[in-house]
Amino acid sequence: MLGSVHKRSTDDRVAIVESISAYLRAHTSQLNVKVATQEGIVHFNERAQYCAQLPRPDIDVQAAVGVLSRRDTNGEGFGKGEQPDLHDVRLTRADLPGAHFRNGNFTDADLRCAIFTSKSSFRSAILVGAHLQGAKLRSADFRGADLRKADLRGADLRKADLTGADLTEADLRGAQLDGAQWKETCTAGVKWSNGANMGIRNCGQ
């Protein structure tokens, strides 16, 4: 039943998305995440060793977030209230290739070492302060996303589309950035590694 969210009426979809989001917030914990991520990988070559120390989601949590990640696979538009609110969740090492989280709220979420390959979508999503160390985000869509102060150390962002995204004060040390798109991307205060710099653009904030 829950796997067919996109086939439900608008009211049903809102209720299901809200219920699953609340379940995930209540059943995952990111206590001390800010302390835990102060030290960690600063290069993608350290990913395997670093990620092996992190827990995988429980089976029920992986299944629940999987339902949300597939909610827009048929291209159906979702209205106000239908976006997942997953602020503060802990989903380290979650396996969600091709996930659709457009307009979702991941403020301060712990997504370290999660797998979001196969063109996952975070278009216009809120990821302020999100912890994405070692996450696999190759070819992910971050157009218009809010990634201010996000921790992307050691993340795989090859061929990711960051057009119009706000990366102000984000940490990109050690991230793989080959082929990433940066048009109109806000990069003021970004932490780069090895002298890398994609140019500085303020968003006027």
Side-chain angles (χ1 to χ4, degrees):
M1 179 182 74
L2 293 181
S4 301
V5 176
H6 62 279
K7 297 179 181 178
R8 301 283 166 174
S9 68
T10 299
D11 289 343
D12 285 345
R13 290 200 306 265
V14 170
I16 291 172
V17 171
E18 288 180 348
S19 295
I20 298 176
S21 297
Y23 176 87
L24 289 167
R25 293 195 303 270
H27 288 80
T28 64
S29 172
Q30 56 115 280
L31 296 176
N32 301 316
V33 64
K34 291 182 174 63
V35 175
T37 56
Q38 289 307 305
E39 296 182 1
I41 57 173
V42 292
H43 196 276
F44 58 85
N45 287 338
E46 304 169 10
R47 183 185 185 278
Q49 182 177 0
Y50 175 76
C51 293
Q53 304 173 45
L54 298 174
R56 294 185 185 276
D58 292 337
I59 294 176
D60 56 340
V61 169
Q62 176 71 54
V65 72
V67 171
L68 290 186
S69 76
R70 296 189 300 271
R71 79 195 199 289
D72 200 26
T73 53
N74 286 355
E76 186 172 337
F78 279 69
K80 184 177 180 181
E82 295 180 59
Q83 292 78 27
D85 183 0
L86 299 178
H87 68 274
D88 294 309
V89 297
R90 182 169 187 166
L91 294 170
T92 57
R93 299 179 71 186
D95 191 2
L96 296 163
H100 288 256
F101 288 121
R102 183 171 178 170
N103 296 311
N105 181 9
F106 290 87
T107 301
D108 291 324
D110 185 354
L111 303 170
R112 290 174 291 167
C113 298
I115 299 174
F116 297 105
T117 51
S118 302
K119 298 183 179 180
S120 291
S121 177
F122 288 92
R123 187 172 182 179
S124 300
I126 302 171
L127 295 121
V128 177
H131 300 273
L132 288 152
Q133 282 193 57
K136 290 189 176 182
L137 296 158
R138 187 168 184 170
S139 299
D141 182 357
F142 285 102
R143 286 176 290 174
D146 189 345
L147 287 150
R148 287 173 294 161
K149 298 184 178 180
D151 190 340
L152 289 149
R153 285 178 285 172
D156 184 353
L157 287 163
R158 288 174 292 177
K159 296 184 179 180
D161 191 346
L162 294 154
T163 301
D166 190 346
L167 284 160
T168 301
E169 297 184 18
D171 194 338
L172 287 166
R173 288 176 292 172
Q176 293 175 290
L177 303 171
D178 297 341
Q181 299 180 50
W182 299 88
K183 184 177 180 181
E184 301 297 317
T185 304
C186 306
T187 54
V190 169
K191 295 179 182 178
W192 308 96
S193 61
N194 301 322
N197 195 323
M198 300 298 174
I200 298 175
R201 180 178 183 271
N202 288 294
C203 285
Q205 296 176 343

